[in-house]
């Protein structure tokens, strides 16, 4: 058997490694910035480009697609050639893969900072970049399958099966979730609406974890762990079994991200069932990885790469145990909307993905550069920094998650929420946020130590861009049966590749034709009172999307008493039929906004309050960590786009009347004028075209349609002054007052009236004593908007305000003086 | 919620692709040998044989 000479392509591998290191530093730095912003809002810098709402997607995408993505390519491009004893299929495709991917990353960074976002987690990139991703991904797959077809080894090693699954999985997910209707180069609407959009999004989100953060990394584990330990994998059979079971099970678990939310019960049950089953194939990977080191633990002591692999595989085992646990509904009510989610993904991200990449680099770079690692000691220092950072990151966040959840659901003996003001529950956990920053800095420090170590290593060695190699040509194994041989022959022919790609193109093309047709007309309103967004509300919603408000604010009230008491009526599927995209959120750093427009509800705030709050949240309450959005008052909405947006919505099946796009601007102005007048009454001057007006309109739309209709209130100008107020001391009056007080006033003043955080006490001598009933009455009626107190004259009638004043003076102050 | 028809369809489609690949793999004999592949990857014996031949030649000459 004559050996064939060929050359390995190391240059592409080297480029991907460099990109991994550089983007890793960037991604972690942005993460630290995000952590700083959560603990100290000053780090939002008061610029629109650097608010947390824009920085957070930048961090997640930089880590997932830039750091992890490049690491996958580096690992795959190196191991595939070695495993198949051939050069990659096409140098040109490798080059396009590399530069295309870097272009995507740069475009992502720029667009996120500019507020160009589809607001679907981990798929925030706008449609032109989505298309670019699809193209580059197909290039990668083409290159990979071409390489497999021209291999010199009959057997396709386990790692490569994982790579193939990665390619197929991500391609399908990305295409299905990225169906958007473009209206301009930088703006599109998801073709799915509301609950349907949420289901698609989390089918995607969950499977992105599966096929971007799990399968490629298990593939890398199956190559690099045995190589670094110089031992065969513990059980090759297990690797086959858990591979096939994992890819067959993973696709079905997406709904566990939407438990207790506006989703059919059966779908939730399906998601939970598959999530529980997923423990088995996941732990198959962990067991296989760890047991490979049987009898080789002495090597682990001396090798930083192996240490990292041990931590990576252990972290993988931990998160894949945690995941199924979190998908149990009873556990999920704790972990959803709290920091548990964030801790969970960082065990996966820093531990599993990070650890595996670090281990791979420590082993691969010396091998590639034909030298020794510059310093094993530095690598060990990095190992301990990184491992400690993971613990310091996760443990405080677990702590804060449970703390906050307990506070959310705490009731007083009287049956009222113990912490009606959301901010209290956040202030309580800010110390953990400070600790998290330290963890991030420590992790970055370790990363920089590694970068230094690896660059030094590269400097001492030299990489052969084209490494010479020899291997016997592949002789197809003798026919086992005629069927098999024809399949194999067929696979060998060049035409096959072409037809495979034609098939894929047809599937995508067919999907593009069929999916919009089926789903655009399918959102049949089930709640009659739910109306499409007015042009002004729609523009407000688009600002909400672009600013990434969903990053901190949910719009999904779960059917728990402690949520309905705090926010209002629980959310229903039918409310969201006009939402392109949906905005349910997944972490509540601020309160839920799904009921912000319910007049008289616990979340309602008037226009002047919102104006002041956007302008400077810290002025309303110095403990708030919300960035300020002062530019809302400065920047105009692009009204030229509004008719286009209305037409796009009509295309998506939103029932605006025929030709409404012509009238949209007029309606916009009429509605804006109402808000402008409302603000004017509170002494605020603003143009109707400003973003602020649209935002306020959107806030007041949330939940409005399904609440009992209340007169649209606008501020009546002028102060109310009462000559004299007769206090109402009957039990019925006081009970009615207590009801109002407990739903509205407690949010800031506490159920005992002593004040919460920085809000004033109603029962201390300074404020109340010496105040006459009429003075208390006018304070309630006129409010103090600059301090966050609404003028309640628009919400309650005279009798109710009198009852409230009576309650404060007769009950609360008496209770206190006892 | 007829989105589920699509997603279940797409998921089944993916599963069918995987199933097809699985059947092909079994028929192709990919899983006939579950012992040696794990060990084989540990040997990097694909470096050009020129050097080793020279070594062997020099051995022959000296002997």
């Amino acid at each position: 058997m004559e050996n064939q000479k060929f050359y390995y392509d190391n240059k592409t591998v080297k480029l991907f490694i460099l990109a991994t290191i550089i983007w890793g530093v960037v991604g972690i730095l942005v993460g630290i910035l995000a952590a700083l912003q959560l603990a100290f809002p000053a780090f939002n810098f008061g610029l629109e480009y650097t608010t947390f709402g824009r920085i957070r997607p930048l961090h997640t995408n930089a880590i997932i697609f830039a750091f992890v993505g490049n690491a996958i390519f580096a690992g795959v491009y190196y191991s595939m050639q070695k495993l198949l004893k051939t050069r990659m299929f096409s140098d040109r495709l490798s080059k396009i893969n590399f530069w295309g991917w870097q272009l995507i990353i740069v475009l992502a960074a720029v667009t996120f900072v500019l507020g160009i976002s589809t607001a679907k987690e981990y798929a925030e990139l706008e449609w032109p970049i989505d298309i670019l991703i699809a193209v580059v991904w197909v290039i990668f797959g083409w290159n990979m399958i071409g390489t497999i077809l021209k291999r010199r080894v009959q057997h396709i090693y386990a790692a490569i099966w994982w790579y193939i699954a990665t390619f197929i999985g991500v391609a399908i997910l990305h295409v299905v979730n990225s169906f958007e209707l473009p209206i301009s180069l930088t703006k599109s609407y998801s073709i799915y609406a509301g609950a349907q959009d949420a289901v698609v999004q989390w089918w995607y989100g969950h499977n992105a974890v599966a096929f971007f953060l799990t399968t490629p990394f298990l593939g890398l584990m199956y190559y690099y762990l045995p190589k670094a330990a110089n031992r065969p994998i513990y059980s090759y059979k297990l690797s086959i079994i858990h591979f096939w079971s994992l890819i067959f099970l993973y696709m079905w678990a997406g709904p566990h991200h939407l438990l207790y939310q506006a989703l059919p019960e059966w779908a939730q049950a399906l998601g939970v069932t598959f999530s529980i089953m997923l423990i088995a194939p996941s732990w198959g990977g962990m067991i296989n990885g760890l047991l490979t080191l049987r009898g080789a633990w002495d090597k682990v002591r001396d090798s930083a790469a192996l240490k990292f692999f041990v931590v990576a595989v252990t972290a993988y085992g931990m998160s894949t145990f945690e995941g199924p646990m979190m998908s149990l509904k009873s556990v999920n009510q704790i972990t959803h909307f709290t920091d548990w989610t964030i801790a969970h993904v960082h065990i996966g991200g820093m531990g599993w993905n990070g650890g595996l990449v670090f281990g791979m680099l420590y082993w691969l770079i010396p091998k590639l550069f034909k030298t020794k690692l510059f310093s094993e000691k530095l690598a060990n220092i990095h190992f301990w920094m990184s491992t400690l950072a993971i613990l310091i990151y996760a443990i405080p966040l677990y702590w804060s998650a449970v703390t906050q959840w307990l506070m959310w659901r705490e009731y007083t003996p009287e049956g009222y929420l113990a912490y009606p003001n959301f901010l209290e529950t956040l202030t309580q956990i800010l110390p953990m946020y400070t600790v998290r920053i330290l963890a991030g800095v420590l992790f970055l420090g370790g990363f920089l130590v590694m970068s230094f170590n690896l660059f030094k290593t590269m400097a001492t060695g030299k990489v052969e861009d084209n490494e010479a190699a020899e291997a016997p040509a592949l002789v197809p194994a003798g026919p086992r049966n005629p069927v098999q041989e024809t399949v194999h022959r067929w696979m060998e022919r060049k035409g096959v590749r072409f037809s495979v790609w034609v098939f894929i193109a047809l599937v995508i093309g067919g999907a593009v034709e069929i999916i919009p047709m089926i789903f655009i007309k399918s959102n049949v309103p089930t709640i009659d009172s739910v109306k499409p967004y007015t042009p002004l509300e729609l523009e407000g919603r688009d600002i909400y999307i672009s600013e990434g408000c969903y990053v901190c604010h949910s719009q999904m009230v779960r059917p728990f008493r402690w949520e309905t008491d705090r926010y209002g009526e629980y959310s229903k599927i039918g409310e969201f039929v006009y939402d392109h995209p949906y905005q349910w959120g997944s972490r509540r750093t601020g309160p839920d906004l799904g009921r912000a427009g319910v007049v008289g509800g616990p979340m309602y705030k008037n226009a002047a309050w919102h104006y002041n709050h956007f302008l400077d949240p810290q002025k309303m309450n110095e403990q708030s960590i919300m960035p300020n959005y002062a530019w809302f008052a400065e920047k105009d909405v692009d009204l030229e786009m509004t008719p286009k947006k209305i037409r796009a919505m009509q295309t998506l099946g939103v029932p605006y009347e025929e030709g409404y796009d012509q009238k949209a601007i007029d309606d916009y102005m009429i509605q804006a004028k109402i808000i402008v007048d409302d603000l004017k009454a509170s002494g605020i001057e603003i143009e109707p075209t400003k973003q602020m007006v649209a935002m306020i309109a959107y806030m007041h739309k949330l939940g409005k349609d399904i609440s009992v209709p209340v007169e649209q209130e606008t501020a009546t100008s002028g102060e109310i002054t009462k000559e004299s107020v007769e206090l109402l001391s009957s039990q019925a009056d006081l009970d009615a007052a207590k009801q109002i007080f407990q739903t509205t006033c407690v949010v800031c003043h506490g159920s005992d009236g002593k004040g919460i955080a920085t809000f004033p006490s109603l029962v201390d001598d300074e404020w109340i004593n010496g105040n006459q009933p009429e003075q208390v009455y006018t304070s309630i009626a006129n409010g103090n908007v600059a301090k966050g107190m609404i003028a309640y004259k628009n919400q309650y009638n005279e009798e109710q305000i009198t009852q409230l004043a009576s309650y404060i003076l007769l009950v609360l102050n008496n209770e206190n003086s006892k | 919620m007829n989105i589920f028809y699509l997603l279940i369809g797409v998921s089944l489609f993916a599963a069918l692709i995987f199933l097809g690949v699985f059947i092909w793999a079994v028929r192709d004999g990919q899983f006939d040998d579950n012992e040696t592949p794990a060990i084989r990857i540990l040997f990097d014996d694909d470096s050009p044989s020129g050097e080793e031949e020279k070594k062997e030649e020099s051995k022959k000459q000296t002997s």
Side-chain angles (χ1 to χ4, degrees):
Chain A
M1 183 77 233
E2 188 53 44
N3 269 1
Q4 294 178 323
K5 280 196 172 32
F6 61 97
Y7 293 92
Y8 289 125
D9 171 17
N10 288 339
K11 193 175 173 203
T12 311
V13 180
K14 182 181 70 182
L15 286 173
F16 274 123
I17 287 174
L18 292 174
T20 305
I21 296 172
I22 290 163
W23 290 121
V25 173
V26 173
I28 300 168
L29 266 177
V30 177
I32 291 172
L33 175 60
L36 280 166
Q37 291 175 337
L38 285 174
F40 310 106
F43 282 92
N44 288 290
F45 304 126
L47 298 169
E48 61 171 301
Y49 308 108
T50 49
T51 57
F52 182 73
R54 295 188 188 185
I55 290 296
R56 191 259 185 179
L58 187 64
H59 166 60
T60 53
N61 282 268
I63 292 298
I64 296 171
F65 298 109
F67 170 60
V68 168
N70 277 305
I72 292 170
F73 290 133
V76 169
Y77 272 76
Y78 177 83
S79 60
M80 267 195 96
Q81 299 183 84
K82 292 279 180 189
L83 287 169
L84 300 176
K85 300 244 188 289
T86 178
R87 192 183 177 86
M88 285 307 283
F89 171 68
S90 154
D91 284 6
R92 184 174 296 161
L93 291 182
S94 306
K95 207 174 238 161
I96 297 173
N97 185 178
F98 177 78
W99 290 110
W101 199 252
Q102 309 320 312
L103 174 67
I104 289 164
I105 292 164
V106 171
L107 286 174
V110 173
T111 54
F112 284 150
V113 169
L114 292 176
I116 297 165
S117 157
T118 62
K120 291 176 79 168
E121 278 183 275
Y122 324 120
E124 289 101 339
L125 293 164
E126 263 300 352
W127 68 272
I129 309 176
D130 278 343
I131 292 172
L132 196 57
I133 291 172
V135 170
V136 173
W137 193 255
V138 166
I139 296 277
F140 162 64
W142 181 2
N143 209 3
M144 183 162 71
I145 290 171
T147 309
I148 292 170
L149 288 175
K150 64 169 224 184
R151 67 186 187 273
R152 289 192 178 81
V153 180
Q154 162 61 19
H155 181 87
I156 298 173
Y157 182 70
I160 294 171
W161 290 110
W162 293 99
Y163 304 157
I164 295 169
T166 301
F167 164 61
I168 296 173
V170 172
I172 292 173
L173 299 172
H174 177 69
V175 168
V176 172
N177 191 43
S178 298
F179 272 100
E180 292 140 357
L181 181 70
I183 58 166
S184 76
L185 198 62
T186 56
K187 176 77 196 162
S188 66
Y189 289 119
S190 171
I191 73 153
Y192 315 106
Q196 312 222 45
D197 193 43
V199 174
V200 176
Q201 159 59 30
W202 283 112
W203 174 81
Y204 161 90
H206 173 72
N207 289 315
V209 173
F211 290 98
F212 207 87
L213 300 174
T214 300
T215 54
F217 274 75
L218 282 163
L220 298 180
M221 181 188 88
Y222 276 119
Y223 180 77
Y224 292 95
L225 180 64
K227 289 297 269 187
N230 200 20
R231 307 204 145 228
I233 195 78
Y234 167 66
S235 164
Y236 196 73
K237 282 195 185 104
L238 177 59
S239 79
I240 295 164
I241 294 167
H242 97 97
F243 166 72
W244 293 104
S245 53
L246 188 136
I247 62 169
F248 278 114
L249 284 180
Y250 233 120
M251 282 266 182
W252 308 95
H256 69 211
H257 290 259
L258 300 167
L259 298 176
Y260 285 118
Q261 297 175 44
L263 197 70
E265 197 67 37
W266 68 267
Q268 298 185 38
L270 177 94
V272 173
T273 311
F274 276 92
S275 306
I276 301 297
M277 287 197 282
L278 265 171
I279 288 188
S282 305
W283 275 41
M286 176 187 70
I287 289 165
N288 221 354
L290 287 179
L291 289 183
T292 298
L293 296 168
R294 261 174 335 138
W297 287 95
D298 56 311
K299 286 186 177 163
V300 176
R301 194 178 50 217
D302 302 331
S303 156
L306 280 177
K307 280 201 191 79
F308 270 116
F309 284 140
V310 170
V311 165
V313 176
T314 309
Y316 176 66
M318 294 304 98
S319 9
T320 52
F321 172 75
E322 198 181 19
M325 291 304 112
M326 288 164 77
S327 71
L328 293 167
K329 285 182 89 167
S330 48
V331 180
N332 189 268
Q333 52 160 307
I334 308 175
T335 61
H336 197 75
F337 289 141
T338 63
D339 282 323
W340 197 288
T341 312
I342 289 95
H344 170 67
V345 299
H346 281 83
I347 294 274
M350 294 158 110
W352 164 236
N353 299 115
L356 229 136
V357 173
F358 301 153
M360 179 179 96
L361 292 179
Y362 281 127
W363 178 84
L364 179 57
I365 288 180
K367 187 122 178 92
L368 208 56
F369 285 76
K370 296 204 184 330
T371 176
K372 280 197 113 54
L373 188 63
F374 171 72
S375 161
E376 198 67 46
K377 195 168 178 193
L378 282 178
N380 276 315
I381 290 171
H382 172 209
F383 170 79
W384 287 111
M385 286 173 88
S386 157
T387 308
L388 283 173
I390 296 167
L391 295 176
I392 298 170
Y393 190 104
I395 293 167
L397 285 196
Y398 288 139
W399 203 285
S400 88
V402 175
T403 303
Q404 202 176 20
W405 173 72
L406 287 171
M407 287 175 84
W408 284 347
R409 67 195 307 274
E410 181 76 20
Y411 274 89
T412 60
E414 289 182 307
Y416 296 110
L417 286 171
Y419 303 100
N421 189 326
F422 185 95
L423 196 57
E424 279 182 291
T425 70
L426 186 71
T427 310
Q428 191 69 33
I429 59 173
L430 284 188
M432 330 293 191
Y433 283 7
T434 315
V435 176
R436 169 186 23 203
I437 300 167
L438 297 177
V441 170
L442 190 61
F443 195 76
L444 178 71
F447 199 98
L448 292 173
V449 169
M450 176 191 77
S451 312
F452 170 77
N453 196 358
L454 292 180
F455 286 134
K456 276 287 199 196
T457 308
M458 292 180 202
T460 58
K462 189 169 176 344
V463 70
E464 278 182 85
D465 283 347
N466 298 298
E467 189 187 342
E470 282 182 8
L474 175 61
V475 180
R480 287 153 18 92
N481 61 51
V483 179
Q484 178 260 330
E485 201 200 350
T486 52
V487 171
H488 201 83
R489 281 260 182 89
W490 179 75
M491 288 294 283
E492 290 285 291
R493 285 210 294 275
K494 279 230 169 167
V496 177
R497 262 164 267 170
F498 182 70
S499 48
V500 166
W501 291 115
V502 168
F503 169 73
I504 288 175
L506 281 177
V507 169
I508 293 175
V512 170
E513 294 283 315
I514 294 164
I515 292 178
M517 246 171 52
I518 299 175
F519 293 99
I520 280 172
K521 301 292 176 204
S522 70
N523 276 305
V524 183
T526 46
I527 303 176
D528 291 342
S529 59
V530 173
K531 296 278 174 287
Y533 294 101
T534 64
L536 183 66
E537 290 158 359
L538 187 65
E539 287 293 356
R541 190 166 204 275
D542 283 343
I543 298 166
Y544 186 98
I545 287 168
S546 146
E547 292 297 348
C549 306
Y550 71 96
V551 166
C552 295
H553 294 279
S554 58
Q555 292 182 18
M556 172 53 57
V557 183
R558 295 177 292 178
F560 303 135
R561 182 175 158 224
W562 45 277
E563 293 216 349
T564 54
D565 280 0
R566 184 183 299 276
Y567 302 117
E569 184 63 20
Y570 67 89
S571 302
K572 323 233 177 342
I573 294 182
E575 285 179 67
F576 304 100
V577 290
Y578 304 125
D579 290 11
H580 298 270
Y582 88 114
Q583 289 288 281
W584 295 356
S586 30
R587 162 75 182 118
R588 280 183 193 144
T589 306
D592 185 279
L593 299 176
R595 298 287 173 257
V598 179
V599 179
M603 292 305 295
Y604 184 81
K605 301 286 192 294
N606 67 359
W609 186 94
H610 279 300
Y611 178 93
N612 283 293
H613 188 247
F614 282 129
L615 227 51
D616 191 355
Q618 279 75 40
K619 205 174 84 179
M620 308 292 255
N621 190 337
E622 58 206 35
Q623 288 174 324
S624 166
I625 60 167
M626 177 166 155
N628 78 62
Y629 288 91
W631 55 91
F632 282 175
E634 308 291 324
K635 285 181 72 175
D636 285 306
V637 169
D638 182 6
L639 285 175
E640 284 188 9
M641 291 297 285
T642 311
K644 257 191 197 169
K645 288 180 177 178
I646 295 290
R647 284 196 295 276
M649 284 291 161
Q650 284 173 318
T651 310
L652 294 172
V654 178
Y656 293 111
E657 58 190 83
E658 199 61 42
Y660 183 69
D661 55 328
Q662 301 305 318
K663 284 191 288 188
I665 305 280
D666 297 340
D667 276 10
Y668 185 102
M669 284 309 193
I670 292 166
Q671 195 186 354
K673 186 83 174 57
I674 295 170
I675 294 175
V676 169
D677 290 344
D678 190 355
L679 289 170
K680 198 173 280 176
S682 310
I684 299 165
E685 294 285 337
I686 192 163
E687 308 268 308
T689 53
K690 296 296 178 203
Q691 290 190 341
M692 180 71 83
V693 178
M695 265 317 260
I696 291 171
Y698 179 57
M699 289 294 116
H700 284 174
K701 164 78 171 181
L702 289 168
K704 187 183 78 178
D705 289 354
I706 69 145
S707 58
V708 183
V710 180
E711 276 297 297
Q712 177 71 33
E713 58 97 354
T714 54
T716 43
S717 50
E719 300 280 290
I720 287 180
T721 43
K722 275 276 190 184
E723 290 305 309
S724 69
V725 171
E726 282 291 316
L727 290 183
L728 304 160
S729 55
S730 79
Q731 196 55 43
D733 283 320
L734 291 178
D735 283 345
K738 184 174 182 177
Q739 202 54 47
I740 297 172
F741 190 88
Q742 292 291 359
T743 52
T744 306
C745 315
V746 290
V747 173
C748 301
H749 300 291
S751 54
D752 51 6
K754 286 182 179 167
I756 287 175
T758 53
F759 294 106
S761 165
L762 306 179
V763 295
D764 60 356
D765 293 348
E766 285 174 36
W767 193 81
I768 208 100
N769 283 2
N771 254 343
Q772 293 309 310
E774 42 277 11
Q775 289 171 298
V776 177
Y777 181 100
T778 50
S779 298
I780 298 171
N782 298 325
N784 180 351
V785 172
K787 287 275 183 228
M789 167 95 176
I790 300 178
Y792 283 100
K793 60 178 183 263
N794 303 309
Q795 202 164 319
Y796 299 117
N797 58 31
E798 286 186 30
E799 189 195 9
Q800 288 171 312
I801 298 179
T802 315
Q803 287 171 337
L804 271 175
S806 316
Y807 180 74
I808 290 165
L809 290 168
L810 298 176
V811 180
L812 293 179
N813 282 285
N814 282 347
E815 272 179 15
N816 245 38
S817 55
K818 274 173 201 165
Chain B
M1 293 300 286
N2 51 8
I3 193 70
F4 286 111
Y5 301 136
L6 171 79
L7 288 184
I8 290 173
V10 170
S11 301
L12 278 176
F13 171 73
L16 283 174
I17 291 180
F18 290 142
L19 186 65
V21 175
F22 176 70
I23 290 168
W24 172 82
V26 172
R27 288 192 160 179
D28 191 56
Q30 287 292 337
F31 306 134
D32 290 359
D33 173 6
N34 295 321
E35 294 300 327
T36 54
I39 301 159
R40 211 176 323 125
I41 69 155
L42 301 175
F43 302 127
D44 280 332
D45 55 354
D46 49 1
S47 55
S49 48
E51 294 169 34
E52 287 172 28
E53 280 172 26
K54 275 179 196 165
K55 273 181 197 166
E56 280 177 33
E57 276 177 30
S58 62
K59 271 182 190 171
K60 278 178 193 170
Q61 284 167 358
T62 49
S63 58

